[in-house]
Amino acid sequence: DHRDLHSFPTRRSSDLPEQIVIATEANQRLPVTFVKLSPQSRHIENKLTGVTQARWPTQMVVSVAGRVVTLPESLEPGRLIKQHELMLALQDTPYQAEIERTASALAAAELTLARTRYEQTVTKKTSGHLNTPFARMEPQVAAAEQEVKAAKSSLLYARQRFADAKVYAPFAAIVLQRYITPGQWLQAGEQVFHLAASDSIDVKVEIPESIWQQLGQIHEGLQVQIISQAGNLWQGEIRFINPNREAITRQRSVVIKIDNPYQGDAPLLPDQQVQVSFSGPEQKQIFEAPASALTEDGFVWTINNDNVLHKENVKLLQQDAQHIWIRFNEQPELNRAIVVYPLGTMIEGQLVQPSAYKVQQL
């Protein structure tokens, strides 16, 4: 029988048996996936982006001129050096000669002072009453004493210049850059190395005002977690809190210290972005839900006991790739049946059909 389908009479729902009508209305409801959750108390972690900064970045320069005669081959960028380790030596013959000249000048000045004092003593004993300071040889002795002082200062200066012909690490450091080569002639004030302290590195983090208030009491020494782009975990503590807001962003900032960042196979280097995790104070009435439950406009859909949809306002406290941590703005103490995969076509007050086998547990 190939009769047209439209030739069949249309049956109204009132003509159908009651059990068939109920089944038909249920099939027309929107199927949803939901999860039943209860509010909990927990510490909210706020993850922010920071940038590593070298601790004590120092441009090493030479204070005297000369030719490079000693330059360890191992002093390449990335090398760790100890405090007082020799980094560079210049030819020091001219400065040794300067020491000898100033030492000779000092000896001559001391001899002149001794002769003048002797002559003063003899004059006072043999010349009777002396009416003027010049006659008593007082200015002559003072001039000779001043010559000795000047000669001693010149000798100290010559010895300092001789010592400056060698450059030592001022602290335990990492070599960030080297600017010189063996045998090179250097002028006074020329840069030779760029160093940074190797015992720690800083991480600067800007904190928005909303998160600053949420974190509660932030203080020096507070422990935080640092995750590098390679996924390595570091422990840090707040070195200091910047008392001034950033000029452009107007946000507060803190500087975090990480100890021994350059040791190991995966060192933490300057000018890298890292993730900083702050653990705030314990908060109540927090829901941990799947990340997919949050709509693009920041709402969450829930289902009441009559399987009716409700669109609710929430405050997003924390989020990662899999989960969100939220607090409902109204009646946050109540349990919720949260829609896991909300659709853009959902309507407030719409009847839905939750499927038991689709319920997901976190």
Side-chain angles (χ1 to χ4, degrees):
D1 189 0
H2 301 286
R3 291 176 293 175
D4 189 351
L5 292 177
H6 294 287
S7 63
F8 284 96
T10 302
R11 299 186 61 182
R12 297 172 298 179
S13 60
S14 58
D15 299 331
L16 298 175
E18 182 178 355
Q19 63 272 22
I20 297 179
V21 172
I22 296 175
T24 301
E25 292 179 351
N27 291 335
Q28 292 176 349
R29 295 183 182 182
L30 179 67
V32 295
T33 303
F34 73 96
V35 59
K36 291 183 178 180
L37 297 174
S38 300
Q40 306 291 333
S41 296
R42 62 169 290 131
H43 293 275
I44 296 298
E45 291 188 358
N46 290 276
K47 296 181 179 180
L48 301 171
T49 299
V51 178
T52 57
Q53 299 178 338
R55 175 70 170 168
W56 292 345
T58 304
Q59 293 287 350
M60 298 292 295
V61 300
V62 288
S63 56
V64 296
R67 189 174 303 280
V68 177
V69 295
T70 301
L71 179 63
E73 295 182 0
S74 60
L75 286 184
E76 300 289 351
R79 160 78 191 281
L80 297 178
I81 56 178
K82 299 178 181 179
Q83 186 177 15
H84 305 311
E85 181 176 337
L86 178 65
M87 303 176 62
L88 169 70
L90 302 178
Q91 188 176 16
D92 58 8
T93 304
Y95 306 108
Q96 181 64 46
E98 187 178 355
I99 290 177
E100 301 299 337
R101 287 194 300 270
T102 53
S104 176
L106 174 60
E110 289 176 339
L111 177 60
T112 300
L113 175 61
R115 183 186 299 113
T116 304
R117 285 175 174 173
Y118 175 75
E119 291 175 354
Q120 182 187 44
T121 301
V122 172
T123 299
K124 288 181 177 180
K125 289 182 179 180
T126 60
S127 300
H129 183 70
L130 303 173
N131 295 326
T132 64
F134 186 82
R136 293 190 295 270
M137 298 189 68
E138 292 176 358
Q140 293 90 325
V141 172
E145 291 175 345
Q146 194 62 39
E147 287 292 334
V148 171
K149 290 181 179 180
K152 288 182 177 179
S153 297
S154 296
L155 180 58
L156 289 176
Y157 178 65
R159 288 172 175 171
Q160 183 61 56
R161 286 170 62 81
F162 177 80
D164 289 342
K166 293 182 175 63
V167 178
Y168 298 91
F171 43 77
I174 180 173
V175 178
L176 299 179
Q177 189 61 266
R178 189 184 76 177
Y179 302 106
I180 58 174
T181 59
Q184 180 179 350
W185 178 269
L186 299 177
Q187 298 292 341
E190 193 167 348
Q191 292 185 359
V192 289
F193 291 98
H194 185 196
L195 306 180
S198 60
D199 60 346
S200 67
I201 196 172
D202 290 338
V203 178
K204 184 178 181 181
V205 185
E206 293 187 14
I207 305 177
E209 187 65 28
S210 59
I211 296 181
W212 183 276
Q213 298 296 334
Q214 183 175 308
L215 289 175
Q217 185 65 29
I218 297 180
H219 56 83
E220 295 181 10
L222 179 67
Q223 298 293 316
V224 296
Q225 285 190 340
I226 312 294
I227 302 177
S228 66
Q229 292 179 331
N232 297 315
L233 180 64
W234 302 81
Q235 294 296 324
E237 67 176 48
I238 294 180
R239 187 188 294 274
F240 66 88
I241 301 171
N242 195 333
N244 301 314
R245 294 180 183 267
E246 296 298 318
I248 299 177
T249 63
R250 305 304 300 164
Q251 293 181 347
R252 299 180 183 272
S253 63
V254 299
V255 173
I256 299 167
K257 177 183 75 170
I258 301 177
D259 292 329
N260 303 317
Y262 304 109
Q263 284 72 17
D265 298 330
L268 188 61
L269 301 176
D271 300 322
Q272 287 186 351
Q273 281 194 344
V274 293
Q275 187 180 75
V276 184
S277 179
F278 292 89
S279 180
E282 185 180 59
Q283 299 193 38
K284 298 180 180 181
Q285 299 173 344
I286 305 302
F287 286 80
E288 180 183 353
S292 60
L294 188 68
T295 63
E296 293 183 357
D297 51 358
F299 291 91
V300 169
W301 288 92
T302 60
I303 309 170
N304 67 9
N305 294 333
D306 297 325
N307 295 334
V308 175
L309 282 176
H310 290 282
K311 189 176 183 180
E312 300 198 51
N313 290 304
V314 297
K315 181 179 181 181
L316 180 63
L317 302 175
Q318 184 182 343
Q319 184 176 16
D320 60 25
Q322 301 296 328
H323 304 92
I324 56 173
W325 287 264
I326 57 176
R327 179 187 292 114
F328 286 88
N329 292 348
E330 297 183 3
Q331 296 181 311
E333 73 282 358
L334 299 181
N335 298 336
R336 294 298 204 285
I338 297 176
V339 176
V340 178
Y341 303 109
L343 302 176
T345 57
M346 287 182 173
I347 302 174
E348 176 74 19
Q350 182 180 6
L351 287 172
V352 295
Q353 180 60 42
S355 301
Y357 69 91
K358 292 184 179 180
V359 174
Q360 300 181 0
Q361 295 295 334
L362 295 181

